[in-house]
Amino acid sequence: DTAVSQTPKYLVTQMGNDKSIKCEQNLGHDTMYWYKQDSKKFLKIMFSYNNKELIINETVPNRFSPKSPDKAHLNLHINSLELGDSAVYFCASSQTVAGATDTQYFGPGTRLTVL
Amino acid sequence: RKEVEQDPGPFNVPEGATVAFNCTYSNSASQSFFWYRQDCRKEPKLLMSVYSSGNEDGRFTAQLNRASQYISLLIRDSKLSDSATYLCVVNGNAGKSTFGDGTTLTVKP
């Protein structure tokens, strides 16, 4: 009965490869997010979707492409992986757009290591 | 200047101590404010929302000062289990949350 789940939990891959991370929430929330937490533990928003529509895209390279097939899923595809992409990627969801008082619920994270 | 700035830390305190964390934000139009807690190698989880009137949840008290654009978190009677990184979060409009860089707390026996 996990609220926000991500797969895989760990991902180790070579530079130049393409990989995807999947996220699903069973909370019935309208809004989902991708965050990146780097080695210094700084957590930065990358994308936000509300009802399958992209509402935030924070200066993220074009190699990163989110896709939301429905409001319960938000996947992240990364092309041509680089060393600097190594980080923990967190998916999150909230009831509505986070301009109000909604809590964000985070998935357990995907630890990506690019060799 | 960062949009959200927190005390650099780390804070190392003995059990039973009272500890306070501060956070300032630059956007006066910010709408809502939170403290999240992140344990090592885990996801962030909501600790508490922060209201202008101040709010308390057991040993934790949060305050918001909109005029000074300042948020605080006070932890009384620290427990070993309070050891974690505490993240100040500020929500603007259009769905954007900005996280502070976090303050690490270690409570020692």
Side-chain angles (χ1 to χ4, degrees):
Chain A
D1 60 345
T2 306
V4 182
S5 58
Q6 294 179 228
T7 53
K9 192 167 182 181
Y10 299 96
L11 187 52
V12 181
T13 188
Q14 300 284 338
M15 260 177 31
N17 285 350
D18 303 338
K19 291 293 178 185
S20 292
I21 308 172
K22 296 188 176 184
C23 179
E24 177 180 359
Q25 53 96 3
N26 62 6
L27 297 166
H29 288 170
D30 287 342
T31 308
M32 296 185 73
Y33 313 81
W34 277 111
Y35 287 87
K36 177 181 180 180
Q37 189 168 43
D38 61 25
S39 57
K40 294 183 179 176
K41 311 296 184 190
F42 301 150
L43 193 65
K44 302 294 181 207
I45 191 165
M46 300 173 69
F47 301 102
S48 174
Y49 272 71
N50 181 252
N51 272 320
K52 304 191 296 174
E53 299 281 333
L54 178 68
I55 55 171
I56 292 174
N57 183 345
E58 286 284 300
T59 57
V60 175
N62 290 339
R63 299 182 295 104
F64 290 79
S65 51
K67 279 195 173 53
S68 183
D70 56 62
K71 74 175 192 177
H73 295 85
L74 180 61
N75 304 323
L76 183 65
H77 187 77
I78 315 170
N79 288 327
S80 304
L81 278 155
E82 300 177 357
L83 294 176
D85 298 332
S86 296
V88 181
Y89 291 84
F90 286 103
C91 176
S93 73
S94 63
Q95 180 63 57
T96 58
V97 171
T101 57
D102 284 342
T103 302
Q104 291 182 60
Y105 294 84
F106 283 79
T110 296
R111 189 170 297 273
L112 171 65
T113 302
V114 182
L115 303 175
Chain B
R1 184 187 171 189
K2 289 184 179 179
E3 290 182 54
V4 178
E5 293 205 64
Q6 292 188 235
D7 279 348
F11 286 69
N12 297 301
V13 303
E15 269 187 294
T18 295
V19 61
F21 304 141
N22 301 320
C23 173
T24 57
Y25 60 96
S26 59
N27 184 353
S28 60
S30 297
Q31 298 187 6
S32 53
F33 310 87
F34 305 87
W35 284 101
Y36 278 69
R37 169 190 169 134
Q38 186 173 22
D39 293 293
C40 187
R41 300 179 79 85
K42 298 282 190 181
E43 70 273 23
K45 291 184 179 177
L46 178 70
L47 179 65
M48 58 198 304
S49 302
V50 188
Y51 305 116
S52 297
S53 54
N55 47 304
E56 190 173 306
D57 182 2
R59 297 180 293 108
F60 298 83
T61 301
Q63 294 274 358
L64 166 64
N65 184 321
R66 281 191 182 270
S68 302
Q69 295 179 205
Y70 170 96
I71 304 157
S72 65
L73 177 69
L74 183 77
I75 305 175
R76 290 181 299 278
D77 189 22
S78 299
K79 311 289 185 194
L80 295 176
S81 58
D82 293 335
S83 298
T85 296
Y86 291 82
L87 302 164
C88 171
V89 182
V90 175
N91 285 359
N93 54 15
K96 183 180 173 185
S97 288
T98 302
F99 282 71
D101 293 339
T103 300
T104 300
L105 172 66
T106 302
V107 181
K108 300 190 172 181

